[in-house]
Amino acid sequence: MKNRLTMLALCCSVTGGAAWAQGNVNAAPLAPTQNKPNIVYILLDDQRYDAFGFINPRITTPHMDEIARNGTWFKNAFVTTSLSSPSRASILTGMYVHNHGVSDNNPSDLSRLHYFPEKLRDAGYQTAFFGKWHFGGADKTAKAGFDRWVGLLGQGDYYPINMFGEQAMLNIDGRLTPQKGYITDELTDYALDWLNQTDKNKPFMIYLSHKGVHADFYPAVRDKGKLASVNFPLPDTWADTDANYAGKPMWVRNQRNSWHGVDYPYNKKMDLQQFQRDYYETLIGVDNSVGKVHAWLKQRGLDKNTIIMVMGDNGFMFGEHGLIDKRAAYEESMRVPLIASGPGFAKGQVVEDVVANIDIAPTLLDAAGIAKPTNYDGESFLGLGTQRKNMPPRKDYFVYEYFWEYNFPYTPTTLAIRTPEFKYIQYYGVWDKEELYNIAKDPQEKNNLIDATDKKTIDTKIALRKKLFESLKDHNGANIIPYNERNSQGMVFRHQPEGKKLADFPAEWLRGNNPRDKYSGVIPDEYHKEQASEKVFASFEKTERLVAEMLKQRQE
């Protein structure tokens, strides 16, 4: 079986811009109440900040490139938590995790949360959601502020086979309906079908939330092999050398031999070149989806009065510091792509200012002429790069928070603050080093300054520690570490390479490559759980066979 990662188990350099004035005064909305712009928000899963053709010449993303070329590329866009559920909750609520409470990918209480599409609908917008919701365990019930709902169950499935080898289903307005084909195409068709039925006298907002490019990376059959001859460079910090880990916390090097490390990625011996080819071939399908939606707008003359925004929910590491996936506070994990065009966005501009996922909700409400709710932590960035005179005051820093998950226990609770010049990282509940980087001079985060003895660095460290602590207070003024109920041991397996000494972990956690019980760590504990684990493993084998058969049919 080819190297893949499981959809069950995973949920799953640039300097900062100019400093902004601080404050919390709401600016007057940009858009007039009449002739409100339509809004198309397209969210990709785990798209790296540099996964655009105009940045990476080894790949092609012509449709996203067109939006960036004719609109605004936000060069320094970030998420405040690099994990699917918390990040998506921050996008929809405008709040940090420590305020919205969705701390990981496990079920959580959503009863007190409200989402920006609700306010758009109250203001007369037609609203629709298509794709991956994936937080709070609400996939079968959520219709939060949307007139139309076509949702995936959990992570969803690229092809119509779910993780148990059964028919994959979609939640369509509360009714479970069989998935018919490749999910990127199917979601796009549902979105275009809804757009064709909208009332032309009312503005619309669609939230198109793709599964792509989350692992397992399954490209559309038509795209499989398009990058077969492309080789992608590995990062400077990929190799297991003392130089690469000088000054780094111990947990980082130790994570190399784990589900999220390059020595045992997803409990396999993986070809990191093919891993990236699969990723970028899967991205081709999502770029085509962006192109189809954009073409629909242009064909009807709606592109001039429609905001189209494309963003990633998390970053993704391809071997930086010996890691893959996300969660860490390193740049490749927390940085995301963000492009936008339409009313309020400059044409052909590159904006250096830092923006974050907590800013999406206030920005889109601002565009619709709706005042920012008082509980939002983010601020509108509508008008950055233009001559907007009533620009809402913004901060020149943000805080980052990731809370330890028993599902994937290798990354500790991580709290960080990033300014245009520095990033400070501390860890909670682990005996290890802090980190301090001069991002402006050291974008690859190679030189940890935490133990430097010069006065300027010491003063910076002290100031950032204090600012981080104060900024992580919730709306009640408290600093609280959230956690969810545990129901399994998590993905704890490690590999025992011949002749190599490992840290002293339990012998019962050691495995070979691609063990058949590899998914047992995220299946809730029960008597005879090994049967459920075997069923999930067999399901992925079944999906591989399906894709192989489709490829063979295409070739014939």
Side-chain angles (χ1 to χ4, degrees):
M1 186 165 63
K2 297 177 184 177
N3 290 324
R4 300 288 186 187
L5 85 205
T6 173
M7 62 195 79
L8 163 68
L10 292 177
C11 339
C12 187
S13 199
V14 177
T15 62
W20 300 306
Q22 298 183 25
N24 195 36
V25 179
N26 290 336
L30 178 68
T33 54
Q34 68 275 16
N35 196 31
K36 293 180 179 180
N38 302 307
I39 297 170
V40 176
Y41 180 72
I42 303 177
L43 186 65
L44 279 71
D45 201 316
D46 290 356
Q47 184 186 13
R48 281 178 62 100
Y49 76 93
D50 56 0
F52 289 130
F54 67 86
I55 302 176
N56 185 347
R58 294 173 178 82
I59 66 174
T60 56
T61 57
H63 304 295
M64 289 187 281
D65 292 355
E66 179 186 356
I67 293 172
R69 183 171 59 251
N70 297 322
T72 302
W73 170 34
F74 294 91
K75 191 176 181 181
N76 290 297
F78 293 84
V79 291
T80 53
T81 304
S82 188
L83 185 62
S84 184
S85 295
S87 179
R88 290 163 185 270
S90 289
I91 289 167
L92 282 158
T93 67
M95 293 189 288
Y96 283 114
V97 173
H98 60 265
N99 283 317
H100 63 61
V102 181
S103 60
D104 60 24
N105 291 339
N106 295 302
S108 53
D109 181 13
L110 306 180
S111 60
R112 63 185 180 83
L113 297 183
H114 296 279
Y115 313 109
F116 77 84
E118 296 178 83
K119 288 193 169 294
L120 290 172
R121 188 173 63 175
D122 291 344
Y125 274 76
Q126 303 164 89
T127 60
F129 176 86
F130 304 94
K132 179 178 175 180
W133 179 259
H134 197 247
F135 70 86
D139 304 301
K140 294 183 180 180
T141 59
K143 279 211 55 165
F146 297 99
D147 300 312
R148 175 66 163 164
W149 180 278
V150 179
L152 309 183
L153 304 186
Q155 285 290 348
D157 306 277
Y158 282 109
Y159 289 94
I161 298 176
N162 71 15
M163 55 188 269
F164 295 107
E166 302 163 346
Q167 169 68 53
M169 306 294 284
L170 303 177
N171 169 12
I172 300 182
D173 293 327
R175 180 171 54 89
L176 293 185
T177 303
Q179 179 180 326
K180 299 175 182 177
Y182 187 64
I183 194 58
T184 304
D185 299 340
E186 194 161 347
L187 290 175
T188 306
D189 290 344
Y190 274 115
L192 294 178
D193 180 68
W194 181 79
L195 285 170
N196 284 325
Q197 300 177 48
T198 53
D199 185 338
K200 304 304 182 288
N201 296 313
K202 295 181 180 180
F204 60 78
M205 182 271 180
I206 69 170
Y207 192 116
L208 178 53
S209 180
H210 280 294
K211 175 177 175 60
V213 284
H214 195 284
D216 284 359
F217 306 135
Y218 284 102
V221 171
R222 63 180 177 271
D223 298 322
K224 181 63 180 170
K226 286 185 176 180
L227 301 177
S229 62
V230 178
N231 287 315
F232 296 92
L234 295 176
D236 292 344
T237 56
W238 168 82
D240 188 5
T241 65
D242 290 341
N244 274 343
Y245 291 99
K248 279 283 186 289
M250 291 184 293
W251 75 262
V252 179
R253 194 170 197 173
N254 201 38
Q255 192 175 121
R256 289 183 67 96
N257 187 329
S258 77
W259 187 271
H260 289 150
V262 296
D263 291 342
Y264 199 34
Y266 314 119
N267 294 167
K268 297 180 180 181
K269 185 177 181 181
M270 181 180 286
D271 180 346
L272 290 179
Q273 287 297 324
Q274 189 59 44
F275 183 58
Q276 293 184 73
R277 293 185 194 112
D278 290 340
Y279 176 93
Y280 289 117
E281 287 175 353
T282 304
L283 181 64
I284 293 172
V286 186
D287 183 68
N288 286 336
S289 170
V290 172
K292 288 179 181 179
V293 174
H294 201 191
W296 187 94
L297 295 170
K298 289 186 287 186
Q299 289 165 4
R300 289 155 181 78
L302 296 175
D303 53 312
K304 299 296 187 296
N305 192 43
T306 299
I307 291 171
I308 183 166
M309 181 179 291
V310 182
M311 183 182 178
D313 73 333
N314 305 296
F316 201 83
M317 294 179 287
F318 278 136
E320 288 86 3
H321 313 292
L323 308 179
I324 59 171
D325 204 79
K326 45 191 181 279
R327 292 170 171 79
Y330 298 130
E331 290 289 280
E332 295 80 11
S333 171
M334 64 195 294
R335 243 180 109 195
V336 295
L338 177 60
I339 52 177
S341 66
F345 293 97
K347 295 182 179 180
Q349 292 292 317
V350 178
V351 169
E352 297 276 354
D353 304 65
V354 171
V355 299
N357 55 351
I358 57 173
D359 298 325
I360 298 300
T363 298
L364 297 181
L365 292 182
D366 188 8
I370 301 171
K372 188 190 83 167
T374 57
N375 66 320
Y376 278 18
D377 298 316
E379 294 289 351
S380 173
F381 56 81
L382 193 72
L384 278 180
T386 73
Q387 299 301 313
R388 181 179 180 182
K389 295 180 180 179
N390 60 344
M391 191 73 209
R394 296 183 56 82
K395 300 173 182 177
D396 68 344
Y397 69 91
F398 68 94
V399 295
Y400 179 87
E401 50 192 342
Y402 163 81
F403 298 103
W404 179 85
E405 309 161 85
Y406 68 81
N407 310 79
F408 302 96
Y410 350 99
T411 306
T413 291
T414 302
L415 308 172
I417 183 168
R418 191 191 190 280
T419 73
E421 187 176 5
F422 288 98
K423 181 191 292 180
Y424 165 72
I425 313 171
Q426 65 177 227
Y427 302 100
Y428 182 90
V430 64
W431 181 24
D432 222 324
K433 291 180 71 72
E434 305 162 87
E435 296 178 86
L436 176 66
Y437 298 101
N438 187 324
I439 295 294
K441 296 180 180 179
D442 180 23
Q444 293 181 302
E445 298 165 297
K446 293 181 176 181
N447 184 22
N448 186 3
L449 303 175
I450 200 67
D451 294 323
T453 58
D454 64 285
K455 186 177 187 304
K456 180 180 179 182
T457 303
I458 291 174
D459 288 346
T460 298
K461 173 174 63 176
I462 293 170
L464 290 177
R465 277 178 179 161
K466 181 176 179 60
K467 190 67 176 175
L468 175 63
F469 181 75
E470 293 300 321
S471 299
L472 287 173
K473 292 183 183 297
D474 64 21
H475 290 160
N476 295 318
N479 292 81
I480 296 173
I481 300 292
Y483 69 97
N484 275 311
E485 182 180 1
R486 185 171 192 147
N487 62 17
S488 73
Q489 69 174 356
M491 305 296 282
V492 297
F493 295 161
R494 298 171 66 81
H495 185 53
Q496 177 65 73
E498 187 175 350
K500 189 172 182 179
K501 177 75 167 67
L502 292 179
D504 292 326
F505 279 76
E508 57 268 24
W509 289 1
L510 299 181
R511 292 292 189 281
N513 284 310
N514 206 32
R516 297 192 73 84
D517 64 344
K518 63 186 291 182
Y519 305 131
S520 64
V522 291
I523 298 173
D525 287 338
E526 60 180 355
Y527 188 56
H528 287 323
K529 188 173 77 170
E530 63 273 10
Q531 297 174 1
S533 181
E534 169 62 27
K535 189 175 182 180
V536 173
F537 191 94
S539 170
F540 285 101
E541 291 183 314
K542 183 177 179 180
T543 301
E544 292 283 355
R545 289 194 297 270
L546 170 67
V547 174
E549 290 170 3
M550 295 174 72
L551 282 169
K552 184 178 179 180
Q553 292 173 3
R554 185 190 72 170
Q555 293 165 356
E556 293 174 347

Short mmCIF file of all heavy atoms in Angstrom, two decimals, residues 446-487:
data_model
loop_
_atom_site.label_atom_id
_atom_site.label_comp_id
_atom_site.label_asym_id
_atom_site.label_seq_id
_atom_site.Cartn_x
_atom_site.Cartn_y
_atom_site.Cartn_z
N LYS A 446 16.29 28.95 13.55
CA LYS A 446 17.43 28.06 13.83
C LYS A 446 18.16 28.45 15.12
O LYS A 446 18.76 27.59 15.76
CB LYS A 446 18.42 28.11 12.67
CG LYS A 446 17.91 27.52 11.37
CD LYS A 446 19.00 27.60 10.29
CE LYS A 446 18.57 26.94 9.00
NZ LYS A 446 19.64 27.00 7.97
N ASN A 447 18.12 29.71 15.48
CA ASN A 447 18.95 30.22 16.57
C ASN A 447 18.09 30.65 17.75
O ASN A 447 17.54 31.75 17.76
CB ASN A 447 19.81 31.39 16.07
CG ASN A 447 20.77 31.90 17.12
OD1 ASN A 447 21.11 31.18 18.06
ND2 ASN A 447 21.20 33.14 16.96
N ASN A 448 17.96 29.78 18.73
CA ASN A 448 17.16 30.07 19.92
C ASN A 448 17.92 31.04 20.82
O ASN A 448 19.00 30.73 21.34
CB ASN A 448 16.87 28.77 20.68
CG ASN A 448 15.91 28.98 21.84
OD1 ASN A 448 15.41 30.09 22.08
ND2 ASN A 448 15.65 27.91 22.59
N LEU A 449 17.34 32.22 21.05
CA LEU A 449 17.99 33.28 21.82
C LEU A 449 17.60 33.28 23.29
O LEU A 449 17.95 34.21 24.01
CB LEU A 449 17.64 34.65 21.21
CG LEU A 449 17.97 34.86 19.74
CD1 LEU A 449 17.43 36.21 19.26
CD2 LEU A 449 19.47 34.78 19.51
N ILE A 450 16.91 32.25 23.74
CA ILE A 450 16.32 32.30 25.07
C ILE A 450 17.36 32.45 26.17
O ILE A 450 17.09 33.03 27.23
CB ILE A 450 15.44 31.06 25.33
CG1 ILE A 450 14.46 31.32 26.48
CG2 ILE A 450 16.26 29.81 25.58
CD1 ILE A 450 13.41 32.33 26.17
N ASP A 451 18.58 31.96 25.96
CA ASP A 451 19.61 32.04 26.98
C ASP A 451 20.64 33.13 26.72
O ASP A 451 21.69 33.17 27.37
CB ASP A 451 20.33 30.68 27.11
CG ASP A 451 19.41 29.59 27.63
OD1 ASP A 451 18.57 29.91 28.51
OD2 ASP A 451 19.51 28.45 27.17
N ALA A 452 20.36 34.01 25.75
CA ALA A 452 21.29 35.11 25.46
C ALA A 452 21.42 36.01 26.68
O ALA A 452 20.48 36.19 27.46
CB ALA A 452 20.79 35.91 24.26
N THR A 453 22.60 36.62 26.85
CA THR A 453 22.88 37.40 28.06
C THR A 453 22.94 38.90 27.83
O THR A 453 23.15 39.66 28.78
CB THR A 453 24.21 36.93 28.67
OG1 THR A 453 25.26 37.07 27.70
CG2 THR A 453 24.11 35.48 29.13
N ASP A 454 22.77 39.37 26.59
CA ASP A 454 22.79 40.81 26.37
C ASP A 454 21.48 41.43 26.86
O ASP A 454 20.42 40.79 26.88
CB ASP A 454 22.99 41.11 24.88
CG ASP A 454 21.84 40.61 24.03
OD1 ASP A 454 21.77 39.36 23.81
OD2 ASP A 454 21.00 41.41 23.61
N LYS A 455 21.56 42.68 27.29
CA LYS A 455 20.43 43.34 27.93
C LYS A 455 19.21 43.45 27.02
O LYS A 455 18.07 43.22 27.46
CB LYS A 455 20.83 44.74 28.40
CG LYS A 455 19.73 45.45 29.21
CD LYS A 455 20.21 46.81 29.71
CE LYS A 455 19.19 47.44 30.66
NZ LYS A 455 17.85 47.57 30.04
N LYS A 456 19.42 43.75 25.75
CA LYS A 456 18.29 43.92 24.85
C LYS A 456 17.48 42.62 24.73
O LYS A 456 16.24 42.64 24.78
CB LYS A 456 18.77 44.36 23.47
CG LYS A 456 17.63 44.55 22.47
CD LYS A 456 18.13 44.98 21.10
CE LYS A 456 16.97 45.13 20.12
NZ LYS A 456 17.43 45.51 18.76
N THR A 457 18.17 41.50 24.59
CA THR A 457 17.47 40.23 24.44
C THR A 457 16.76 39.84 25.73
O THR A 457 15.63 39.35 25.71
CB THR A 457 18.44 39.12 24.01
OG1 THR A 457 19.09 39.51 22.80
CG2 THR A 457 17.71 37.81 23.77
N ILE A 458 17.42 40.05 26.86
CA ILE A 458 16.80 39.73 28.14
C ILE A 458 15.55 40.59 28.36
O ILE A 458 14.50 40.09 28.78
CB ILE A 458 17.80 39.91 29.29
CG1 ILE A 458 18.88 38.84 29.21
CG2 ILE A 458 17.08 39.86 30.64
CD1 ILE A 458 20.01 39.02 30.22
N ASP A 459 15.65 41.87 28.05
CA ASP A 459 14.50 42.75 28.19
C ASP A 459 13.36 42.32 27.27
O ASP A 459 12.17 42.37 27.66
CB ASP A 459 14.90 44.20 27.87
CG ASP A 459 15.77 44.82 28.96
OD1 ASP A 459 15.85 44.23 30.06
OD2 ASP A 459 16.38 45.88 28.70
N THR A 460 13.72 41.90 26.05
CA THR A 460 12.70 41.43 25.10
C THR A 460 12.00 40.18 25.63
O THR A 460 10.77 40.07 25.59
CB THR A 460 13.35 41.13 23.74
OG1 THR A 460 13.91 42.34 23.20
CG2 THR A 460 12.33 40.56 22.76
N LYS A 461 12.77 39.24 26.14
CA LYS A 461 12.22 38.01 26.69
C LYS A 461 11.25 38.31 27.84
O LYS A 461 10.13 37.76 27.87
CB LYS A 461 13.35 37.11 27.18
CG LYS A 461 12.90 35.87 27.92
CD LYS A 461 14.08 34.95 28.25
CE LYS A 461 15.09 35.59 29.17
NZ LYS A 461 16.18 34.64 29.54
N ILE A 462 11.65 39.16 28.75
CA ILE A 462 10.81 39.49 29.90
C ILE A 462 9.52 40.17 29.46
O ILE A 462 8.43 39.85 29.94
CB ILE A 462 11.60 40.37 30.90
CG1 ILE A 462 12.75 39.56 31.52
CG2 ILE A 462 10.68 40.92 31.98
CD1 ILE A 462 13.71 40.40 32.33
N ALA A 463 9.66 41.12 28.53
CA ALA A 463 8.48 41.85 28.07
C ALA A 463 7.50 40.93 27.34
O ALA A 463 6.28 41.04 27.53
CB ALA A 463 8.92 42.99 27.15
N LEU A 464 8.02 40.02 26.52
CA LEU A 464 7.13 39.13 25.77
C LEU A 464 6.47 38.11 26.68
O LEU A 464 5.30 37.74 26.47
CB LEU A 464 7.91 38.43 24.66
CG LEU A 464 8.33 39.34 23.50
CD1 LEU A 464 9.17 38.56 22.49
CD2 LEU A 464 7.12 39.97 22.81
N ARG A 465 7.19 37.62 27.68
CA ARG A 465 6.57 36.73 28.66
C ARG A 465 5.36 37.40 29.31
O ARG A 465 4.28 36.81 29.43
CB ARG A 465 7.57 36.35 29.74
CG ARG A 465 8.51 35.21 29.42
CD ARG A 465 9.46 35.03 30.57
NE ARG A 465 10.40 33.94 30.38
CZ ARG A 465 11.54 33.83 31.06
NH1 ARG A 465 11.86 34.75 31.97
NH2 ARG A 465 12.34 32.81 30.85
N LYS A 466 5.55 38.62 29.73
CA LYS A 466 4.48 39.36 30.41
C LYS A 466 3.31 39.62 29.45
O LYS A 466 2.14 39.42 29.81
CB LYS A 466 5.02 40.68 30.96
CG LYS A 466 3.97 41.50 31.72
CD LYS A 466 4.60 42.75 32.34
CE LYS A 466 3.56 43.57 33.07
NZ LYS A 466 2.90 42.83 34.16
N LYS A 467 3.65 40.05 28.24
CA LYS A 467 2.60 40.36 27.27
C LYS A 467 1.81 39.10 26.90
O LYS A 467 0.58 39.15 26.74
CB LYS A 467 3.22 40.97 26.01
CG LYS A 467 2.20 41.56 25.05
CD LYS A 467 1.51 42.76 25.65
CE LYS A 467 0.55 43.42 24.69
NZ LYS A 467 -0.21 44.53 25.32
N LEU A 468 2.49 37.98 26.78
CA LEU A 468 1.82 36.72 26.48
C LEU A 468 0.84 36.34 27.58
O LEU A 468 -0.32 36.00 27.32
CB LEU A 468 2.85 35.61 26.28
CG LEU A 468 2.31 34.19 26.08
CD1 LEU A 468 1.48 34.10 24.80
CD2 LEU A 468 3.46 33.18 26.04
N PHE A 469 1.29 36.41 28.81
CA PHE A 469 0.43 36.05 29.94
C PHE A 469 -0.81 36.93 29.99
O PHE A 469 -1.94 36.44 30.16
CB PHE A 469 1.21 36.15 31.25
CG PHE A 469 0.40 35.76 32.46
CD1 PHE A 469 0.12 34.43 32.73
CD2 PHE A 469 -0.08 36.74 33.33
CE1 PHE A 469 -0.64 34.08 33.84
CE2 PHE A 469 -0.84 36.39 34.44
CZ PHE A 469 -1.12 35.06 34.70
N GLU A 470 -0.63 38.22 29.82
CA GLU A 470 -1.77 39.13 29.88
C GLU A 470 -2.72 38.91 28.71
O GLU A 470 -3.95 38.98 28.87
CB GLU A 470 -1.27 40.58 29.88
CG GLU A 470 -0.51 40.98 31.15
CD GLU A 470 -1.37 40.84 32.41
OE1 GLU A 470 -2.58 41.17 32.34
OE2 GLU A 470 -0.84 40.37 33.43
N SER A 471 -2.16 38.62 27.54
CA SER A 471 -2.99 38.47 26.34
C SER A 471 -3.77 37.17 26.33
O SER A 471 -4.75 37.04 25.60
CB SER A 471 -2.11 38.56 25.09
OG SER A 471 -1.47 39.81 25.01
N LEU A 472 -3.34 36.20 27.13
CA LEU A 472 -4.03 34.91 27.18
C LEU A 472 -5.14 34.87 28.23
O LEU A 472 -5.79 33.84 28.40
CB LEU A 472 -3.03 33.78 27.44
CG LEU A 472 -2.13 33.42 26.26
CD1 LEU A 472 -1.07 32.42 26.68
CD2 LEU A 472 -2.94 32.88 25.09
N LYS A 473 -5.39 35.99 28.90
CA LYS A 473 -6.52 36.04 29.82
C LYS A 473 -7.83 35.97 29.04
O LYS A 473 -7.96 36.59 27.98
CB LYS A 473 -6.48 37.32 30.66
CG LYS A 473 -5.33 37.38 31.66
CD LYS A 473 -5.40 38.65 32.49
CE LYS A 473 -4.22 38.79 33.44
NZ LYS A 473 -4.17 37.72 34.43
N ASP A 474 -8.79 35.22 29.55
CA ASP A 474 -10.07 35.14 28.85
C ASP A 474 -10.92 36.37 29.15
O ASP A 474 -10.47 37.31 29.84
CB ASP A 474 -10.80 33.84 29.20
CG ASP A 474 -11.18 33.73 30.68
OD1 ASP A 474 -11.26 34.76 31.38
OD2 ASP A 474 -11.43 32.59 31.13
N HIS A 475 -12.13 36.37 28.65
CA HIS A 475 -12.99 37.55 28.82
C HIS A 475 -13.37 37.80 30.27
O HIS A 475 -13.86 38.89 30.61
CB HIS A 475 -14.26 37.39 27.97
CG HIS A 475 -14.00 37.48 26.51
ND1 HIS A 475 -14.88 36.99 25.55
CD2 HIS A 475 -12.96 38.00 25.81
CE1 HIS A 475 -14.39 37.21 24.35
NE2 HIS A 475 -13.23 37.83 24.47
N ASN A 476 -13.14 36.82 31.12
CA ASN A 476 -13.38 37.00 32.55
C ASN A 476 -12.10 37.33 33.32
O ASN A 476 -12.12 37.37 34.55
CB ASN A 476 -14.00 35.72 33.13
CG ASN A 476 -15.37 35.43 32.57
OD1 ASN A 476 -16.19 36.35 32.40
ND2 ASN A 476 -15.64 34.18 32.24
N GLY A 477 -11.01 37.53 32.59
CA GLY A 477 -9.75 37.90 33.23
C GLY A 477 -8.98 36.74 33.83
O GLY A 477 -8.07 36.95 34.63
N ALA A 478 -9.30 35.50 33.42
CA ALA A 478 -8.65 34.31 33.99
C ALA A 478 -7.76 33.63 32.96
O ALA A 478 -8.02 33.70 31.75
CB ALA A 478 -9.69 33.33 34.50
N ASN A 479 -6.69 32.99 33.43
CA ASN A 479 -5.83 32.17 32.59
C ASN A 479 -6.14 30.70 32.90
O ASN A 479 -5.84 30.22 33.99
CB ASN A 479 -4.35 32.45 32.84
CG ASN A 479 -3.96 33.84 32.37
OD1 ASN A 479 -4.19 34.84 33.06
ND2 ASN A 479 -3.36 33.91 31.21
N ILE A 480 -6.73 29.99 31.93
CA ILE A 480 -7.22 28.63 32.17
C ILE A 480 -6.72 27.70 31.07
O ILE A 480 -6.77 28.05 29.89
CB ILE A 480 -8.76 28.60 32.22
CG1 ILE A 480 -9.27 29.44 33.42
CG2 ILE A 480 -9.28 27.17 32.32
CD1 ILE A 480 -10.77 29.59 33.46
N ILE A 481 -6.24 26.51 31.46
CA ILE A 481 -5.85 25.49 30.50
C ILE A 481 -7.03 24.53 30.32
O ILE A 481 -7.39 23.81 31.26
CB ILE A 481 -4.61 24.70 30.98
CG1 ILE A 481 -3.42 25.64 31.18
CG2 ILE A 481 -4.27 23.58 30.02
CD1 ILE A 481 -2.86 26.24 29.91
N PRO A 482 -7.66 24.47 29.14
CA PRO A 482 -8.80 23.58 28.93
C PRO A 482 -8.35 22.17 28.58
O PRO A 482 -7.23 21.95 28.13
CB PRO A 482 -9.52 24.22 27.75
CG PRO A 482 -8.41 24.85 26.96
CD PRO A 482 -7.39 25.32 27.97
N TYR A 483 -9.21 21.20 28.78
CA TYR A 483 -8.94 19.84 28.34
C TYR A 483 -10.26 19.11 28.18
O TYR A 483 -11.29 19.53 28.70
CB TYR A 483 -8.04 19.10 29.34
CG TYR A 483 -8.68 18.80 30.68
CD1 TYR A 483 -9.24 17.55 30.94
CD2 TYR A 483 -8.73 19.76 31.69
CE1 TYR A 483 -9.83 17.26 32.16
CE2 TYR A 483 -9.31 19.49 32.91
CZ TYR A 483 -9.86 18.24 33.14
OH TYR A 483 -10.44 17.96 34.35
N ASN A 484 -10.22 18.00 27.42
CA ASN A 484 -11.42 17.21 27.17
C ASN A 484 -11.27 15.81 27.74
O ASN A 484 -10.16 15.36 28.05
CB ASN A 484 -11.70 17.13 25.67
CG ASN A 484 -12.49 18.33 25.17
OD1 ASN A 484 -13.49 18.71 25.75
ND2 ASN A 484 -12.00 18.94 24.10
N GLU A 485 -12.39 15.12 27.86
CA GLU A 485 -12.39 13.78 28.43
C GLU A 485 -11.61 12.81 27.56
O GLU A 485 -11.70 12.83 26.33
CB GLU A 485 -13.83 13.28 28.57
CG GLU A 485 -13.96 11.90 29.20
CD GLU A 485 -15.39 11.45 29.33
OE1 GLU A 485 -16.29 12.21 28.91
OE2 GLU A 485 -15.62 10.33 29.84
N ARG A 486 -10.83 11.95 28.20
CA ARG A 486 -10.00 10.99 27.49
C ARG A 486 -10.77 9.69 27.28
O ARG A 486 -11.48 9.22 28.18
CB ARG A 486 -8.72 10.72 28.29
CG ARG A 486 -7.71 9.83 27.61
CD ARG A 486 -6.40 9.82 28.38
NE ARG A 486 -5.34 9.20 27.60
CZ ARG A 486 -4.07 9.56 27.66
NH1 ARG A 486 -3.69 10.55 28.46
NH2 ARG A 486 -3.16 8.94 26.94
N ASN A 487 -10.62 9.07 26.08
CA ASN A 487 -11.29 7.79 25.86
C ASN A 487 -10.39 6.75 25.20
O ASN A 487 -10.85 5.68 24.81
CB ASN A 487 -12.57 7.96 25.03
CG ASN A 487 -12.31 8.52 23.65
OD1 ASN A 487 -11.19 8.51 23.15
ND2 ASN A 487 -13.36 9.02 23.01
#
